[in-house]
Amino acid sequence: MSEPIEISKIKIIQEERPNRRAYIADFEEPVHYGVHGGVKDFYKAVPEEEHPSTLDHIVSAAGG
């Protein structure tokens, strides 16, 4: 079996729900996660600021 080519090193900070910040190794700025659009409506969330959901990032990664 070959050696891994990448190991993800990520620290996630839970802010006021539903917001989270993900600090990814080698990047100074965090990635912000939260809710918007249909996800916001589904959860009846009223965020101060809308952010992409984790689902948005999964779909964009699979499409790329």
Side-chain angles (χ1 to χ4, degrees):
M1 182 176 286
S2 63
E3 295 294 317
I5 59 170
E6 178 67 12
I7 297 174
S8 294
K9 295 179 182 174
I10 301 171
K11 179 180 179 179
I12 298 173
I13 306 294
Q14 178 72 57
E15 297 176 335
E16 185 175 332
R17 291 194 180 273
N19 297 321
R20 296 167 311 289
R21 285 177 288 147
Y23 289 91
I24 302 170
D26 301 327
F27 293 91
E28 287 186 28
E29 295 297 318
V31 176
H32 294 271
Y33 293 103
V35 294
H36 69 98
V39 176
K40 177 182 75 172
D41 297 340
F42 178 81
Y43 287 108
K44 297 176 178 51
V46 185
E48 285 185 27
E49 186 176 354
E50 295 184 7
H51 292 286
S53 68
T54 51
L55 179 60
D56 293 315
H57 285 269
I58 291 168
V59 171
S60 64

